[in-house]
């Protein structure tokens, strides 16, 4: 009997990848292609949707070839993807009628503002868990229908299909047989009522979107369809699908209420599992579908920090403090503390829980003794403070203290940052053995579908901790540090 592999498609903002995992969750093969972002006007961000599909197809074929050569048979495919990015294509030809409008795109700011002025934001949040913002797909869908010649009429006539990237890939992978999405991706469109799990007529009317273009919403685990052998070379079941941040939550096996996953890359994305009861946030967090299994929704609170590793990049590239991000650790440890220096990295405003888009970054508390080691240390410490601000919001919104924190992303290579994070959040910080948590999450979902794993509990039992950091700071030192940070943030907000 041949060995089994699970193929995860991880279609992200900057690259399209496929990763093959063994049943034990080990990485067997990886293939990746960088994806170009286009900026046709100020605030507009687009991608070529055909490239998204063709690069993904290439990557899957490549890993299939690699694992076959090693004697593995590909059992199932799981898909994870950049969320909210919007594609509309012709049902007959499969051709996109416009470029993919990427989640970062701000062209629909005025549409969203007009809706805010009508006073509908609270109703939208109550249904979707989201804040009314161009980030989500709804206003992007309407923009394409209103700006591509003849699109609206074709949409009304049922000739067009809308999908986020998961749906677009699924449609192509199945040779145009399946037009479906999963609840986690659908929850980011601003068109799904996340309490009922269905597309919402009022929201569709608000954004002027015909129901005929929407995909079917499915559980995160199930038979999404089979790959078309003529296209992929093999017919393989697609058994799991989830948006990237939800997939990372699943890859980190945060299946119990209060568990948190936090990803420290360029920015930082944090999700807390809040169980099966929907709650809206009072602290500018989002509520989102973590996953839906057998029709049962599990929710998460989500908060993002715009600048995490980007602050280290700034010290490297703009301030010229060091040549490699990894050097920041030794530099930070060369001084006993930041000597009262705080670095508020609001280069692109402040995210949750402040939502101050116009805030500017600042380095505060400088004295004659301050040097680059103090500033670098302050930049790493800022990761912990920003996380703690989010954790306080999570705790307030969920009504429970946060549980285990499982972290990933490039910055967790920095042991100083991880220890300070554990100290300031005052929780153990766990790092996973398999660091590709997003792809692993898609693989876990697909693996449950084919019975490689019994259920999510079985997956949870297999998750392995590579390293854990325990809080060790004294309470008074922590309080002092946090009040210094709060003071620094206040100064940035008032500036
Ligand atoms: P993304 O997926 O957003 O591209 P990654 O997860 O690859 O990001 O993480 C890259 C980020 O992590 C960069 O901003 C980099 O500056 C930072 N980084 C990587 N290694 C370290 C390190 N050892 N110490 C501090 N920052 C680091």
């Amino acid at each position: 009997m041949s060995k089994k592999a699970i193929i995860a498609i991880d279609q992200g903002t900057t690259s399209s990848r496929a990763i093959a995992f063994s049943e034990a969750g080990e990485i067997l093969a990886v293939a990746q292609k960088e994806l170009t972002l286009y900026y046709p006007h100020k605030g507009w961000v687009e991608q070529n949707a055909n490239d998204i599909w063709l690069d993904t197809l290439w990557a899957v074929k490549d890993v299939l070839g690699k694992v076959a050569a090693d004697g593995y048979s590909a059992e199932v495919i799981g898909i994870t993807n950049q969320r909210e990015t919007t594609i509309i294509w012709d049902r007959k030809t499969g051709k996109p009628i416009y470029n993919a409008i990427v989640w970062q795109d701000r062209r629909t700011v005025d549409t969203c503002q007009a809706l805010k002025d009508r006073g509908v934001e609270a109703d939208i949040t109550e249904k979707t868990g989201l804040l009314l913002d161009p980030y989500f797909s709804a206003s992007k869908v309407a923009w394409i229908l209103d700006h591509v010649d003849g699109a609206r009429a074709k949409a009304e006539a049922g000739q067009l299909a809308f999908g986020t990237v998961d749906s677009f890939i699924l449609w192509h992978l199945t040779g145009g047989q399946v037009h479906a999405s999963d609840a986690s991706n659908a929850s980011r469109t601003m068109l799904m009522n996340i309490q009922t799990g269905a597309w919402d007529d009022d929201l569709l009317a608000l954004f002027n979107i015909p129901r005929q273009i929407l995909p079917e919403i499915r559980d995160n685990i199930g038979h999404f369809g089979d790959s078309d052998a003529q296209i992929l070379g093999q017919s393989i079941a697609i058994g799991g699908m989830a948006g990237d941040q939800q997939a990372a939550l699943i890859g980190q096996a945060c299946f119990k209420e209060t568990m948190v996953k936090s990803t420290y890359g360029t920015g930082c994305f944090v999700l807390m599992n809040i169980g099966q009861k929907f709650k809206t946030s009072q602290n500018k967090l989002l509520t989102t579908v973590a996953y839906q299994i057998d029709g049962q929704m599990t929710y998460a609170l989500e908060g993002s920090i715009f600048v995490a590793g980007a602050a280290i990049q700034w010290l490297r590239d703009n301030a010229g403090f060091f040549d490699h991000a990894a050097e920041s650790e030794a530099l930070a440890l060369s001084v006993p503390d930041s000597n009262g220096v705080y670095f508020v990295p609001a280069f692109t405003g402040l995210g949750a829980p402040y939502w101050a888009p116009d805030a500017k970054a600042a380095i505060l508390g400088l004295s004659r003794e301050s040097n680059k080691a103090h500033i670098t240390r302050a930049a790493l410490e800022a990761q912990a403070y920003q996380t703690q601000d989010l954790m306080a919001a999570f705790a307030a919104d969920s009504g429970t203290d946060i549980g285990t924190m499982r972290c990933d992303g490039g910055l967790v290579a920095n042991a100083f940052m991880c220890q300070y994070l554990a100290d300031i959040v005052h929780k153990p910080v766990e790092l996973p053995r398999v660091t590709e948590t997003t792809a692993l999450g898609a693989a876990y979902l697909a693996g449950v579908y084919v019975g490689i794993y019994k259920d999510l509990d079985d997956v949870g039992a297999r998750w392995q901790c590579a390293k854990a950091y325990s809080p060790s700071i004294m309470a008074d030192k922590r309080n002092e540090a946090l009040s210094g940070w709060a003071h620094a943030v206040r100064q940035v907000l008032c500036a």
Side-chain angles (χ1 to χ4, degrees):
M1 214 173 78
S2 74
K3 302 172 282 183
K4 293 176 184 167
I6 305 172
I7 310 298
I9 292 172
D10 179 3
Q11 202 302 310
T13 312
T14 54
S15 73
S16 306
R17 307 197 301 163
I19 301 186
F21 289 94
S22 70
E23 290 180 70
E26 306 289 345
I27 293 177
L28 300 172
V30 182
Q32 170 165 349
K33 258 198 188 166
E34 298 308 313
L35 186 64
T36 307
L37 287 153
Y38 300 98
Y39 305 94
H41 297 286
K42 191 171 185 300
W44 293 30
V45 190
E46 298 182 359
Q47 285 172 334
N48 181 322
N50 278 323
D51 287 350
I52 291 180
W53 160 239
L54 292 174
D55 292 356
T56 300
L57 177 63
W58 170 85
V60 178
K61 281 184 167 171
D62 190 75
V63 294
L64 284 175
K66 286 174 180 160
V67 294
D70 290 338
Y72 284 87
S73 80
E75 292 292 301
V76 66
I77 295 173
I79 301 175
T80 181
N81 56 288
Q82 53 170 318
R83 304 174 301 173
E84 298 104 10
T85 296
T86 299
I87 306 173
I88 298 183
W89 66 96
D90 187 306
R91 286 185 189 275
K92 240 200 220 122
T93 63
K95 292 229 162 33
I97 63 161
Y98 190 79
N99 271 345
I101 300 187
V102 178
W103 54 275
Q104 299 153 333
D105 192 290
R106 309 294 300 170
R107 79 185 65 188
T108 55
V109 145
D110 292 345
T111 315
C112 293
Q113 189 56 49
L115 286 171
K116 275 188 192 171
D117 294 345
R118 280 172 57 189
V120 295
E121 185 170 22
D123 287 347
I124 293 179
T125 301
E126 191 54 39
K127 283 183 170 173
T128 64
L130 307 173
L131 298 168
L132 182 45
D133 192 271
Y135 194 97
F136 306 104
S137 315
S139 60
K140 295 171 158 69
V141 175
W143 189 94
I144 297 178
L145 294 181
D146 288 335
H147 289 82
V148 174
D149 252 2
R152 194 162 276 287
K154 277 191 175 165
E156 307 278 358
Q159 294 166 16
L160 300 181
F162 149 69
T164 39
V165 171
D166 51 305
S167 203
F168 183 64
I169 290 175
L170 178 70
W171 195 89
H172 277 284
L173 206 51
T174 58
Q177 294 303 303
V178 184
H179 184 209
S181 184
D182 69 86
S184 73
N185 271 298
S187 78
R188 312 296 296 190
T189 59
M190 199 167 254
L191 296 171
M192 179 175 105
N193 180 325
I194 73 169
Q195 299 197 53
T196 63
W199 300 121
D200 185 275
D201 284 326
D202 296 337
L203 293 170
L204 290 172
L206 216 49
F207 288 97
N208 194 18
I209 293 170
R211 187 176 261 275
Q212 301 86 293
I213 69 169
L214 300 174
E216 185 188 327
I217 304 173
R218 302 216 183 146
D219 278 0
N220 290 84
I221 298 174
H223 187 228
F224 284 89
D226 300 300
S227 64
D228 184 331
Q230 302 230 0
I231 291 167
L232 192 63
Q234 308 179 36
S235 176
I236 305 171
I238 297 127
M241 216 150 81
D244 54 9
Q245 298 309 320
Q246 286 93 335
L249 187 80
I250 293 160
Q252 288 277 35
C254 292
F255 301 130
K256 302 235 156 44
E257 228 172 296
T258 78
M259 289 179 85
V260 169
K261 84 90 200 174
S262 188
T263 303
Y264 296 88
T266 309
C268 169
F269 291 91
V270 190
L271 264 75
M272 176 188 191
N273 186 324
I274 57 164
Q276 298 174 349
K277 210 162 156 276
F278 172 81
K279 279 188 189 128
T280 53
S281 170
Q282 305 305 312
N283 293 282
K284 303 214 154 85
L285 301 169
L286 306 175
T287 310
T288 203
V289 174
Y291 43 84
Q292 177 185 314
I293 290 168
D294 295 330
Q296 175 65 61
M297 213 83 90
T298 297
Y299 297 102
L301 286 172
E302 176 172 330
S304 20
I305 296 166
F306 299 148
V307 170
I312 307 305
Q313 285 170 351
W314 187 84
L315 291 178
R316 184 192 62 192
D317 302 337
N318 299 51
F321 279 9
F322 37 78
D323 295 326
H324 302 285
E327 293 168 40
S328 62
E329 182 169 352
L331 198 54
L333 287 167
S334 70
V335 287
D337 54 43
S338 72
N339 197 25
V341 176
Y342 286 90
F343 188 153
V344 184
F347 292 112
T348 48
L350 278 176
Y354 301 104
W355 284 107
D358 300 322
K360 295 279 181 287
I363 300 170
L364 302 103
L366 294 172
S367 61
R368 277 298 291 268
E369 296 80 52
S370 308
N371 60 32
K372 66 179 184 179
H374 297 116
I375 295 172
T376 301
R377 188 167 174 126
L380 290 168
E381 291 179 351
Q383 313 302 329
Y385 299 136
Q386 296 191 102
T387 308
Q388 173 54 27
D389 287 343
L390 272 185
M391 293 307 151
F394 281 144
D397 278 338
S398 66
T400 56
D401 198 8
I402 64 153
T404 314
M405 232 182 115
R406 293 186 171 166
C407 300
D408 50 55
L411 247 158
V412 304
N414 192 309
F416 167 75
M417 196 285 286
C418 293
Q419 182 57 54
Y420 202 69
L421 184 61
D423 287 343
I424 291 298
V425 176
H426 213 61
K427 291 282 171 203
V429 163
E430 297 182 350
L431 309 186
R433 202 164 63 76
V434 180
T435 53
E436 293 289 353
T437 53
T438 307
L440 185 62
Y444 278 158
L445 292 172
V448 171
Y449 168 67
V450 282
I452 289 176
Y453 314 116
K454 205 158 99 334
D455 50 25
L456 292 188
D457 285 342
D458 183 22
V459 167
R462 289 164 189 257
W463 185 90
Q464 286 180 34
C465 181
K467 198 155 189 197
Y469 295 85
S470 307
S472 64
I473 200 174
M474 301 299 283
D476 54 346
K477 247 184 124 185
R478 175 175 180 261
N479 292 338
E480 193 187 324
L482 280 172
S483 67
W485 168 255
H487 178 68
V489 170
R490 267 199 306 277
Q491 282 181 268
V492 162
L493 292 175
C494 295

